[in-house]
């Protein structure tokens, strides 16, 4: 069983920055592919970014490429999402997810078997 707890969400003006954190339980965190997803009101959950267990491979949605950076600290069992140049359309609940089965970065939500409760990010114009 893996528990994921997100933090770092909040209200920020357009053009600003936020860093989300996701703390994970489990002794084999470095084996997990980790991902960030988001869901805006009335929309489907969408992929944001993914990172391999070692941190050597990353994968981003086109909508955030160049603005967001995913990283991880395996010694702290934590994955991060640094969000810069935020736009109002980035407003959503952001979810952390873990895939304990895969070894490659993926954007499909079905590939992840554990999810956090989410943290709200609101970007004002």
């Amino acid at each position: 069983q893996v528990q994921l707890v997100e933090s770092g969400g909040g209200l920020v003006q357009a053009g600003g920055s936020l860093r989300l954190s996701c703390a994970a339980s489990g002794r084999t965190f470095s084996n997990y592919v980790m991902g960030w997803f988001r869901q805006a009101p009335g929309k489907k959950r969408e992929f944001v970014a993914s990172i391999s267990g070692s941190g050597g491979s990353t994968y981003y949605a086109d909508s955030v490429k160049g603005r967001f950076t995913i990283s991880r600290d395996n010694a702290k069992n934590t994955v991060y999402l640094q969000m810069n140049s935020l736009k109002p359309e980035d407003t959503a609940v952001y979810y952390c997810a873990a895939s304990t089965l895969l070894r490659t970065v993926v954007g499909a939500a079905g590939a992840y078997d554990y999810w956090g409760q989410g943290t709200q990010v609101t970007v004002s114009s």
Side-chain angles (χ1 to χ4, degrees), residues 34-65:
M34 299 298 296
W36 286 98
F37 291 76
R38 67 186 182 186
Q39 187 167 17
K43 294 188 176 182
K44 293 182 179 179
R45 189 171 297 190
E46 65 173 359
F47 169 74
V48 175
S50 179
I51 188 167
S52 63
S54 67
S57 295
T58 56
Y59 175 47
Y60 296 93
D62 287 343
S63 59
V64 306
K65 202 173 293 183

Side-chain angles (χ1 to χ4, degrees), residues 69-89:
T69 302
I70 189 170
S71 62
R72 66 192 296 159
D73 185 337
N74 287 341
K76 295 182 178 180
N77 278 19
T78 302
V79 63
Y80 305 97
L81 185 68
Q82 177 66 44
M83 305 185 294
N84 299 328
S85 302
L86 282 161
K87 305 175 181 180
E89 51 264 44

Side-chain angles (χ1 to χ4, degrees), residues 1-120:
Q1 192 78 6
V2 178
Q3 292 185 325
L4 303 172
V5 179
E6 302 99 334
S7 61
L11 173 64
V12 64
Q13 288 189 331
S17 299
L18 280 175
R19 189 176 82 153
L20 305 183
S21 300
C22 173
S25 65
R27 293 175 291 178
T28 56
F29 176 74
S30 60
N31 288 343
Y32 307 157
V33 171
M34 299 298 296
W36 286 98
F37 291 76
R38 67 186 182 186
Q39 187 167 17
K43 294 188 176 182
K44 293 182 179 179
R45 189 171 297 190
E46 65 173 359
F47 169 74
V48 175
S50 179
I51 188 167
S52 63
S54 67
S57 295
T58 56
Y59 175 47
Y60 296 93
D62 287 343
S63 59
V64 306
K65 202 173 293 183
R67 298 188 299 123
F68 291 10
T69 302
I70 189 170
S71 62
R72 66 192 296 159
D73 185 337
N74 287 341
K76 295 182 178 180
N77 278 19
T78 302
V79 63
Y80 305 97
L81 185 68
Q82 177 66 44
M83 305 185 294
N84 299 328
S85 302
L86 282 161
K87 305 175 181 180
E89 51 264 44
D90 294 318
T91 295
V93 177
Y94 283 70
Y95 297 91
C96 173
S99 175
T100 62
L101 302 176
L102 298 180
R103 292 294 178 264
T104 58
V105 290
V106 292
Y112 294 83
D113 43 348
Y114 293 96
W115 294 81
Q117 293 300 307
T119 185
Q120 176 70 47

